[in-house]
Amino acid sequence: MLKKFALFRNCQRDMAGMLRLNAFGHATKLVSQMRNYASQAINQMLQLQHTEVCADPPSRGVIFGVYADENDKTDTGILTAAGWKYNVQRTGGRMIEVLRMSGPMPKAGESRLFFGQETEKIPYYSAVAIVGLGKECLGYNPYEVLDEQKETIRRSVAKACMDLALLDTTRIEVDNCGHAESAGEGAALGVWCYQELREKKNRIAMPAIDLYTTKDDLCDIEGWRIGVQKAAAQNLTRQLQEMPANILTPTAFAQNVVEVLCKSGVNVEVKVEGWAESQLMNAFLSVGKASCEPPIFLELSYYGTSAEERPIVLIGQGITYDCGGLCLNPMEKLYVMRADMTGAAVVVATCRAVAALRLPVNIRGLIPLCENVMGCNSFRSGDTVKCMNGKHIKIQGTDYEDILVLADALSYAQNFCPKCIVDVGTPSWDMRNTLGEAACGVFTNSEILWQQIKHASMHTGDRVWRMPLWDYYTKQVTSGMSADVQNIGIGRGGKPCKAAAFLREFVPCGQWMHIDATSVIFTKGSHFEYLRAGMAGRPTRTVIEFIAQTICKDTAPKMPKKEK
């Protein structure tokens, strides 16, 4: 009996084992089939994604504006006309809903990015940036001496372009946001950065920019073009400022100017040291005689109207590096003294922009180029030189050489019977301590020129501030007994004003304006969203706008009529 029971148990075990083997084999086969199916599905999905990416890479971005009260967090915002049309037609109203759910409306100078807003399976714009434009009623603010609407557009559009550039966006289309020229300026200034000396793999992407337009809407393409041209001129100034002094020597500067301007229709004459000696430009020559780089004098000519029309003479200080000579500058200044040729860069960029915009005006540009370094042939404190106009200059300090190179150029300007003379230089570091990055100083003997440059700066957002040109300062630079003029003068303080008073001694009769750009040479990148940290390229756009306003005779400011 026990044997039969044992045999029965063994048979049960064998049958259970066979059943388990069959079940395991079936499960294994089922898993294998599922795995093959899943693998095919995953491969098909990956192939589909790869095909979509290759067909339409997500590299296009678009920028729209929204008006909202920055002080009211509950303000739901109003999109610009183009933005609202895009919101309705391309996103089915989704974009404005997502914007309102994302928090308070972006403030002026802020941008907010959204992705995948369009209803199509493959969106045309992979990224949409909404920028804050402040209140709709923004305009000219007399207390800030600024058109706040235009400046807000520049700041906000530039910030959005920078954000989109970080995503390797290859093309950005920009809504005019109410003023196409300002939008073009902000976009072109914001995407630019100096990186010629970096490896390509480490460079920041610089996307192409264009005005956002639709088939049925009118667009201010001319305003956009003007804004881009002005920004390109300022970027050229920034590029020249950023170039190291060992690369951008006076000779290299002259070569670059010839390459840049001759293609634009501006004539360039390169005059060498022997010519300057024949013109008795001893003040200019004394500054550069210690350097192994010979001084060069550039003369630029642009004729946009009849040859009989008197030209506007632009003079740019062109010291490609300034160590201060024997009166050595402190270390913190030496680092940025490669930009002591800011005035020359502004004149070059302005001439190119005027030619590109085809303004009906005649321009004559004068650029004295040299280096102020130490050497066995350096000019010394206490030296006296005779200038082109016959006056003798007592050199009290070799680190105040800027006005010496401008003095001879001002005297030479009288040969062209100018309508007015505008010189741009960086003669006094005290100007930066006075105005900071907010504005550059202007000294002029003409109320008309001051009103024109003031109005120009209001439109460009690159402000200027008038400084005194009193006889008080003239006496301080002409009171020396041993020479006609001194390059520092007597008394403490007022160095920018004394520099302007010094230059006035060499101005031929007529309207003259001196722009001291020392305060705006470089920026820390925190005050103006459209300028990255580094050289600023200011006040290029203001000078271009100033020239444009001199052409508009009906709108140009006029001196009040004297009562009889």
Side-chain angles (χ1 to χ4, degrees), residues 320-377:
T320 57
Y321 189 75
D322 175 24
C323 78
L326 295 178
C327 302
L328 186 64
N329 283 322
M331 185 181 65
E332 60 271 13
K333 289 185 182 180
L334 291 176
Y335 178 73
V336 296
M337 281 298 105
R338 67 185 186 279
D340 210 31
M341 33 58 68
T342 294
V346 169
V347 171
V348 171
T350 299
C351 289
R352 191 184 74 168
V354 168
L357 296 172
R358 298 182 180 179
L359 297 182
V361 63
N362 293 338
I363 299 290
R364 185 75 64 159
L366 307 178
I367 303 175
L369 294 168
C370 65
E371 291 180 336
N372 182 27
V373 297
M374 289 190 292
C376 60
N377 202 28

Short mmCIF file of all heavy atoms in Angstrom, two decimals, residues 320-377:
data_model
loop_
_atom_site.label_atom_id
_atom_site.label_comp_id
_atom_site.label_asym_id
_atom_site.label_seq_id
_atom_site.Cartn_x
_atom_site.Cartn_y
_atom_site.Cartn_z
N THR A 320 45.79 105.06 -30.54
CA THR A 320 45.46 103.63 -30.48
C THR A 320 45.90 102.98 -29.17
O THR A 320 45.38 101.92 -28.82
CB THR A 320 46.11 102.89 -31.66
OG1 THR A 320 47.53 103.10 -31.63
CG2 THR A 320 45.54 103.40 -32.98
N TYR A 321 46.84 103.59 -28.48
CA TYR A 321 47.13 103.17 -27.10
C TYR A 321 47.75 104.34 -26.35
O TYR A 321 48.60 105.05 -26.88
CB TYR A 321 48.08 101.97 -27.03
CG TYR A 321 48.17 101.43 -25.62
CD1 TYR A 321 47.12 100.69 -25.08
CD2 TYR A 321 49.26 101.70 -24.81
CE1 TYR A 321 47.17 100.22 -23.78
CE2 TYR A 321 49.33 101.23 -23.50
CZ TYR A 321 48.28 100.49 -23.00
OH TYR A 321 48.31 100.03 -21.70
N ASP A 322 47.32 104.52 -25.13
CA ASP A 322 47.78 105.65 -24.31
C ASP A 322 48.22 105.14 -22.95
O ASP A 322 47.39 104.81 -22.10
CB ASP A 322 46.64 106.67 -24.16
CG ASP A 322 47.02 107.80 -23.21
OD1 ASP A 322 48.23 108.05 -23.04
OD2 ASP A 322 46.09 108.42 -22.66
N CYS A 323 49.53 105.07 -22.76
CA CYS A 323 50.04 104.68 -21.43
C CYS A 323 50.28 105.90 -20.55
O CYS A 323 50.60 105.77 -19.37
CB CYS A 323 51.32 103.87 -21.57
SG CYS A 323 52.79 104.85 -21.92
N GLY A 324 50.12 107.11 -21.13
CA GLY A 324 50.37 108.33 -20.38
C GLY A 324 51.75 108.92 -20.61
O GLY A 324 52.07 109.97 -20.08
N GLY A 325 52.58 108.22 -21.40
CA GLY A 325 53.93 108.70 -21.61
C GLY A 325 54.75 108.62 -20.34
O GLY A 325 54.60 107.70 -19.53
N LEU A 326 55.62 109.60 -20.14
CA LEU A 326 56.45 109.61 -18.94
C LEU A 326 55.62 109.82 -17.68
O LEU A 326 56.03 109.39 -16.59
CB LEU A 326 57.51 110.73 -19.06
CG LEU A 326 58.54 110.54 -20.18
CD1 LEU A 326 59.50 111.71 -20.23
CD2 LEU A 326 59.30 109.24 -20.01
N CYS A 327 54.45 110.44 -17.80
CA CYS A 327 53.50 110.54 -16.68
C CYS A 327 52.58 109.33 -16.75
O CYS A 327 51.41 109.42 -17.15
CB CYS A 327 52.71 111.84 -16.75
SG CYS A 327 53.72 113.34 -16.75
N LEU A 328 53.11 108.18 -16.35
CA LEU A 328 52.44 106.90 -16.57
C LEU A 328 51.07 106.86 -15.89
O LEU A 328 50.91 107.25 -14.74
CB LEU A 328 53.31 105.76 -16.04
CG LEU A 328 52.83 104.34 -16.30
CD1 LEU A 328 52.82 104.04 -17.79
CD2 LEU A 328 53.71 103.34 -15.56
N ASN A 329 50.09 106.34 -16.64
CA ASN A 329 48.75 106.18 -16.09
C ASN A 329 48.71 105.04 -15.07
O ASN A 329 49.51 104.10 -15.15
CB ASN A 329 47.74 105.87 -17.20
CG ASN A 329 47.36 107.09 -18.01
OD1 ASN A 329 47.21 108.18 -17.46
ND2 ASN A 329 47.20 106.93 -19.31
N PRO A 330 47.79 105.08 -14.11
CA PRO A 330 47.65 103.96 -13.17
C PRO A 330 47.17 102.69 -13.88
O PRO A 330 46.61 102.74 -14.97
CB PRO A 330 46.61 104.46 -12.16
CG PRO A 330 45.88 105.55 -12.85
CD PRO A 330 46.85 106.18 -13.80
N MET A 331 47.38 101.54 -13.23
CA MET A 331 47.12 100.25 -13.86
C MET A 331 45.67 100.08 -14.28
O MET A 331 45.38 99.52 -15.35
CB MET A 331 47.51 99.13 -12.89
CG MET A 331 47.40 97.74 -13.50
SD MET A 331 47.85 96.44 -12.35
CE MET A 331 46.54 96.61 -11.13
N GLU A 332 44.71 100.55 -13.46
CA GLU A 332 43.32 100.34 -13.79
C GLU A 332 42.92 101.07 -15.07
O GLU A 332 41.98 100.68 -15.77
CB GLU A 332 42.40 100.77 -12.64
CG GLU A 332 42.49 102.23 -12.24
CD GLU A 332 43.55 102.49 -11.17
OE1 GLU A 332 44.38 101.58 -10.94
OE2 GLU A 332 43.53 103.57 -10.56
N LYS A 333 43.63 102.14 -15.41
CA LYS A 333 43.36 102.85 -16.65
C LYS A 333 44.05 102.19 -17.84
O LYS A 333 43.52 102.19 -18.96
CB LYS A 333 43.81 104.31 -16.55
CG LYS A 333 42.98 105.18 -15.65
CD LYS A 333 43.46 106.62 -15.74
CE LYS A 333 42.69 107.53 -14.80
NZ LYS A 333 43.15 108.94 -14.88
N LEU A 334 45.22 101.63 -17.61
CA LEU A 334 46.00 101.07 -18.71
C LEU A 334 45.25 99.97 -19.44
O LEU A 334 45.38 99.80 -20.65
CB LEU A 334 47.34 100.52 -18.19
CG LEU A 334 48.35 101.57 -17.70
CD1 LEU A 334 49.57 100.88 -17.12
CD2 LEU A 334 48.75 102.49 -18.84
N TYR A 335 44.44 99.22 -18.71
CA TYR A 335 43.74 98.09 -19.30
C TYR A 335 42.75 98.53 -20.39
O TYR A 335 42.55 97.82 -21.38
CB TYR A 335 43.00 97.29 -18.22
CG TYR A 335 42.22 96.12 -18.76
CD1 TYR A 335 42.88 94.98 -19.22
CD2 TYR A 335 40.83 96.16 -18.82
CE1 TYR A 335 42.17 93.91 -19.73
CE2 TYR A 335 40.11 95.08 -19.33
CZ TYR A 335 40.78 93.97 -19.77
OH TYR A 335 40.07 92.90 -20.29
N VAL A 336 42.14 99.70 -20.23
CA VAL A 336 41.13 100.15 -21.19
C VAL A 336 41.67 101.22 -22.13
O VAL A 336 40.92 101.73 -22.98
CB VAL A 336 39.88 100.71 -20.46
CG1 VAL A 336 39.21 99.63 -19.67
CG2 VAL A 336 40.24 101.88 -19.57
N MET A 337 42.95 101.55 -22.02
CA MET A 337 43.48 102.62 -22.85
C MET A 337 43.68 102.22 -24.31
O MET A 337 44.06 103.04 -25.14
CB MET A 337 44.82 103.12 -22.28
CG MET A 337 44.66 104.06 -21.10
SD MET A 337 43.77 105.59 -21.53
CE MET A 337 42.17 105.29 -20.80
N ARG A 338 43.39 100.95 -24.63
CA ARG A 338 43.35 100.58 -26.04
C ARG A 338 42.18 101.27 -26.74
O ARG A 338 42.13 101.34 -27.98
CB ARG A 338 43.24 99.06 -26.19
CG ARG A 338 41.92 98.48 -25.70
CD ARG A 338 41.93 96.96 -25.78
NE ARG A 338 40.64 96.37 -25.45
CZ ARG A 338 40.18 96.16 -24.23
NH1 ARG A 338 40.95 96.49 -23.18
NH2 ARG A 338 39.00 95.61 -24.02
N ALA A 339 41.22 101.75 -25.94
CA ALA A 339 40.03 102.41 -26.48
C ALA A 339 40.18 103.92 -26.48
O ALA A 339 39.18 104.63 -26.61
CB ALA A 339 38.80 102.01 -25.68
N ASP A 340 41.40 104.43 -26.38
CA ASP A 340 41.60 105.87 -26.43
C ASP A 340 41.42 106.40 -27.85
O ASP A 340 41.53 107.60 -28.07
CB ASP A 340 42.98 106.24 -25.90
CG ASP A 340 43.00 107.61 -25.24
OD1 ASP A 340 41.97 108.02 -24.68
OD2 ASP A 340 44.05 108.29 -25.30
N MET A 341 41.15 105.48 -28.79
CA MET A 341 40.86 105.88 -30.17
C MET A 341 39.35 105.86 -30.42
O MET A 341 38.90 105.76 -31.56
CB MET A 341 41.57 104.96 -31.16
CG MET A 341 41.73 103.51 -30.72
SD MET A 341 40.20 102.65 -30.32
CE MET A 341 39.46 102.53 -31.92
N THR A 342 38.56 105.97 -29.36
CA THR A 342 37.10 105.95 -29.49
C THR A 342 36.60 107.02 -30.46
O THR A 342 35.73 106.76 -31.29
CB THR A 342 36.44 106.12 -28.12
OG1 THR A 342 36.73 104.98 -27.30
CG2 THR A 342 34.94 106.27 -28.25
N GLY A 343 37.14 108.22 -30.36
CA GLY A 343 36.71 109.29 -31.26
C GLY A 343 36.94 108.94 -32.71
O GLY A 343 36.06 109.17 -33.57
N ALA A 344 38.09 108.35 -33.02
CA ALA A 344 38.39 107.96 -34.40
C ALA A 344 37.42 106.88 -34.86
O ALA A 344 36.91 106.91 -36.00
CB ALA A 344 39.82 107.46 -34.50
N ALA A 345 37.14 105.90 -34.00
CA ALA A 345 36.21 104.82 -34.36
C ALA A 345 34.81 105.37 -34.61
O ALA A 345 34.11 104.92 -35.53
CB ALA A 345 36.19 103.77 -33.25
N VAL A 346 34.38 106.33 -33.80
CA VAL A 346 33.06 106.94 -33.98
C VAL A 346 32.96 107.65 -35.33
O VAL A 346 31.96 107.53 -36.05
CB VAL A 346 32.75 107.91 -32.83
CG1 VAL A 346 31.52 108.75 -33.13
CG2 VAL A 346 32.54 107.15 -31.53
N VAL A 347 34.01 108.37 -35.71
CA VAL A 347 34.01 109.08 -36.99
C VAL A 347 33.95 108.10 -38.15
O VAL A 347 33.20 108.29 -39.12
CB VAL A 347 35.24 110.00 -37.08
CG1 VAL A 347 35.38 110.58 -38.49
CG2 VAL A 347 35.14 111.13 -36.07
N VAL A 348 34.74 107.04 -38.07
CA VAL A 348 34.74 106.03 -39.15
C VAL A 348 33.37 105.39 -39.28
O VAL A 348 32.81 105.28 -40.39
CB VAL A 348 35.82 104.96 -38.88
CG1 VAL A 348 35.68 103.80 -39.86
CG2 VAL A 348 37.21 105.56 -38.97
N ALA A 349 32.79 104.96 -38.16
CA ALA A 349 31.49 104.30 -38.19
C ALA A 349 30.39 105.25 -38.66
O ALA A 349 29.47 104.85 -39.39
CB ALA A 349 31.16 103.74 -36.81
N THR A 350 30.47 106.51 -38.25
CA THR A 350 29.48 107.50 -38.66
C THR A 350 29.52 107.74 -40.17
O THR A 350 28.48 107.80 -40.83
CB THR A 350 29.69 108.82 -37.91
OG1 THR A 350 29.55 108.61 -36.50
CG2 THR A 350 28.71 109.88 -38.37
N CYS A 351 30.72 107.85 -40.71
CA CYS A 351 30.86 108.06 -42.16
C CYS A 351 30.30 106.88 -42.94
O CYS A 351 29.63 107.06 -43.97
CB CYS A 351 32.33 108.28 -42.52
SG CYS A 351 33.00 109.87 -41.98
N ARG A 352 30.54 105.65 -42.45
CA ARG A 352 29.99 104.49 -43.15
C ARG A 352 28.47 104.48 -43.10
O ARG A 352 27.80 104.17 -44.09
CB ARG A 352 30.54 103.19 -42.55
CG ARG A 352 30.21 101.97 -43.39
CD ARG A 352 30.67 100.68 -42.77
NE ARG A 352 29.83 100.28 -41.64
CZ ARG A 352 29.87 99.08 -41.08
NH1 ARG A 352 30.72 98.18 -41.53
NH2 ARG A 352 29.10 98.78 -40.05
N ALA A 353 27.89 104.82 -41.94
CA ALA A 353 26.43 104.83 -41.81
C ALA A 353 25.81 105.93 -42.67
O ALA A 353 24.77 105.71 -43.30
CB ALA A 353 26.05 105.02 -40.35
N VAL A 354 26.42 107.10 -42.69
CA VAL A 354 25.89 108.20 -43.51
C VAL A 354 25.90 107.81 -44.98
O VAL A 354 24.94 108.10 -45.73
CB VAL A 354 26.72 109.48 -43.27
CG1 VAL A 354 26.39 110.55 -44.30
CG2 VAL A 354 26.47 110.02 -41.87
N ALA A 355 26.96 107.13 -45.42
CA ALA A 355 27.02 106.68 -46.81
C ALA A 355 25.99 105.59 -47.08
O ALA A 355 25.35 105.58 -48.14
CB ALA A 355 28.43 106.18 -47.13
N ALA A 356 25.81 104.66 -46.13
CA ALA A 356 24.84 103.57 -46.32
C ALA A 356 23.41 104.11 -46.36
O ALA A 356 22.58 103.59 -47.11
CB ALA A 356 25.00 102.55 -45.21
N LEU A 357 23.13 105.13 -45.56
CA LEU A 357 21.79 105.73 -45.54
C LEU A 357 21.60 106.77 -46.64
O LEU A 357 20.50 107.31 -46.80
CB LEU A 357 21.54 106.38 -44.17
CG LEU A 357 21.51 105.42 -42.98
CD1 LEU A 357 21.44 106.20 -41.67
CD2 LEU A 357 20.33 104.46 -43.09
N ARG A 358 22.69 107.08 -47.35
CA ARG A 358 22.66 108.04 -48.46
C ARG A 358 22.09 109.38 -48.03
O ARG A 358 21.20 109.95 -48.71
CB ARG A 358 21.87 107.46 -49.64
CG ARG A 358 22.49 106.19 -50.21
CD ARG A 358 21.71 105.66 -51.39
NE ARG A 358 22.31 104.44 -51.92
CZ ARG A 358 21.83 103.75 -52.95
NH1 ARG A 358 20.73 104.18 -53.57
NH2 ARG A 358 22.42 102.66 -53.37
N LEU A 359 22.57 109.89 -46.95
CA LEU A 359 22.09 111.18 -46.47
C LEU A 359 22.63 112.29 -47.37
O LEU A 359 23.81 112.29 -47.73
CB LEU A 359 22.55 111.41 -45.03
CG LEU A 359 22.01 110.42 -43.98
CD1 LEU A 359 22.51 110.80 -42.60
CD2 LEU A 359 20.50 110.38 -44.00
N PRO A 360 21.80 113.27 -47.72
CA PRO A 360 22.24 114.35 -48.60
C PRO A 360 23.06 115.40 -47.84
O PRO A 360 22.58 116.50 -47.55
CB PRO A 360 20.91 114.92 -49.12
CG PRO A 360 19.95 114.64 -48.01
CD PRO A 360 20.37 113.35 -47.40
N VAL A 361 24.27 115.07 -47.53
CA VAL A 361 25.14 115.96 -46.77
C VAL A 361 26.58 115.66 -47.15
O VAL A 361 26.91 114.53 -47.55
CB VAL A 361 24.92 115.76 -45.25
CG1 VAL A 361 25.29 114.35 -44.84
CG2 VAL A 361 25.68 116.78 -44.43
N ASN A 362 27.42 116.66 -47.06
CA ASN A 362 28.86 116.47 -47.30
C ASN A 362 29.57 116.34 -45.95
O ASN A 362 29.34 117.13 -45.04
CB ASN A 362 29.44 117.64 -48.08
CG ASN A 362 28.91 117.71 -49.51
OD1 ASN A 362 28.44 116.70 -50.05
ND2 ASN A 362 28.96 118.88 -50.12
N ILE A 363 30.42 115.33 -45.86
CA ILE A 363 31.14 115.05 -44.62
C ILE A 363 32.64 115.04 -44.91
O ILE A 363 33.09 114.46 -45.91
CB ILE A 363 30.73 113.69 -44.02
CG1 ILE A 363 29.24 113.68 -43.68
CG2 ILE A 363 31.56 113.37 -42.78
CD1 ILE A 363 28.86 114.56 -42.52
N ARG A 364 33.39 115.65 -44.03
CA ARG A 364 34.86 115.56 -44.08
C ARG A 364 35.32 115.06 -42.71
O ARG A 364 35.05 115.67 -41.68
CB ARG A 364 35.48 116.93 -44.37
CG ARG A 364 36.97 116.92 -44.55
CD ARG A 364 37.39 116.36 -45.89
NE ARG A 364 36.92 117.19 -46.98
CZ ARG A 364 37.46 117.18 -48.20
NH1 ARG A 364 38.47 116.39 -48.47
NH2 ARG A 364 36.98 117.95 -49.15
N GLY A 365 35.99 113.91 -42.69
CA GLY A 365 36.47 113.33 -41.45
C GLY A 365 37.97 113.46 -41.32
O GLY A 365 38.71 113.15 -42.27
N LEU A 366 38.44 113.91 -40.17
CA LEU A 366 39.87 114.08 -39.90
C LEU A 366 40.25 113.23 -38.70
O LEU A 366 39.66 113.36 -37.63
CB LEU A 366 40.20 115.55 -39.63
CG LEU A 366 39.73 116.57 -40.68
CD1 LEU A 366 40.07 117.98 -40.24
CD2 LEU A 366 40.33 116.26 -42.04
N ILE A 367 41.24 112.33 -38.88
CA ILE A 367 41.62 111.40 -37.82
C ILE A 367 43.14 111.38 -37.67
O ILE A 367 43.84 110.78 -38.50
CB ILE A 367 41.10 109.98 -38.12
CG1 ILE A 367 39.59 109.98 -38.29
CG2 ILE A 367 41.52 109.01 -37.02
CD1 ILE A 367 39.01 108.63 -38.69
N PRO A 368 43.68 112.01 -36.63
CA PRO A 368 45.11 111.89 -36.34
C PRO A 368 45.37 110.61 -35.54
O PRO A 368 44.81 110.41 -34.47
CB PRO A 368 45.41 113.14 -35.51
CG PRO A 368 44.10 113.53 -34.89
CD PRO A 368 43.01 113.00 -35.78
N LEU A 369 46.23 109.72 -36.07
CA LEU A 369 46.51 108.42 -35.45
C LEU A 369 47.94 108.37 -34.94
O LEU A 369 48.88 108.71 -35.66
CB LEU A 369 46.30 107.29 -36.47
CG LEU A 369 44.88 107.05 -36.97
CD1 LEU A 369 44.90 106.12 -38.17
CD2 LEU A 369 44.02 106.45 -35.87
N CYS A 370 48.11 107.91 -33.70
CA CYS A 370 49.44 107.73 -33.14
C CYS A 370 49.33 106.93 -31.85
O CYS A 370 48.23 106.58 -31.42
CB CYS A 370 50.14 109.07 -32.89
SG CYS A 370 49.33 110.08 -31.62
N GLU A 371 50.47 106.62 -31.23
CA GLU A 371 50.52 105.96 -29.94
C GLU A 371 51.25 106.87 -28.95
O GLU A 371 52.24 107.51 -29.30
CB GLU A 371 51.27 104.63 -30.02
CG GLU A 371 50.56 103.54 -30.79
CD GLU A 371 51.35 102.25 -30.85
OE1 GLU A 371 52.60 102.31 -30.70
OE2 GLU A 371 50.75 101.18 -31.04
N ASN A 372 50.77 106.90 -27.71
CA ASN A 372 51.44 107.65 -26.65
C ASN A 372 52.09 106.65 -25.70
O ASN A 372 51.44 106.13 -24.80
CB ASN A 372 50.45 108.53 -25.91
CG ASN A 372 51.12 109.37 -24.82
OD1 ASN A 372 52.31 109.67 -24.91
ND2 ASN A 372 50.37 109.73 -23.79
N VAL A 373 53.34 106.35 -25.95
CA VAL A 373 54.07 105.37 -25.14
C VAL A 373 55.36 105.99 -24.63
O VAL A 373 55.72 107.12 -24.98
CB VAL A 373 54.37 104.10 -25.96
CG1 VAL A 373 53.09 103.39 -26.37
CG2 VAL A 373 55.20 104.42 -27.20
N MET A 374 56.07 105.24 -23.82
CA MET A 374 57.35 105.72 -23.29
C MET A 374 58.50 105.22 -24.17
O MET A 374 58.46 104.09 -24.68
CB MET A 374 57.55 105.23 -21.86
CG MET A 374 56.64 105.91 -20.86
SD MET A 374 57.07 105.53 -19.15
CE MET A 374 56.65 103.79 -19.09
N GLY A 375 59.50 106.06 -24.31
CA GLY A 375 60.68 105.69 -25.09
C GLY A 375 61.76 106.74 -24.94
O GLY A 375 61.58 107.76 -24.25
N CYS A 376 62.88 106.48 -25.59
CA CYS A 376 64.00 107.41 -25.46
C CYS A 376 63.70 108.75 -26.12
O CYS A 376 64.38 109.75 -25.84
CB CYS A 376 65.26 106.80 -26.07
SG CYS A 376 65.09 106.38 -27.82
N ASN A 377 62.69 108.78 -26.97
CA ASN A 377 62.35 110.02 -27.67
C ASN A 377 61.03 110.61 -27.18
O ASN A 377 60.41 111.41 -27.87
CB ASN A 377 62.28 109.75 -29.18
CG ASN A 377 62.48 111.01 -30.00
OD1 ASN A 377 63.15 111.95 -29.56
ND2 ASN A 377 61.90 111.05 -31.18
#
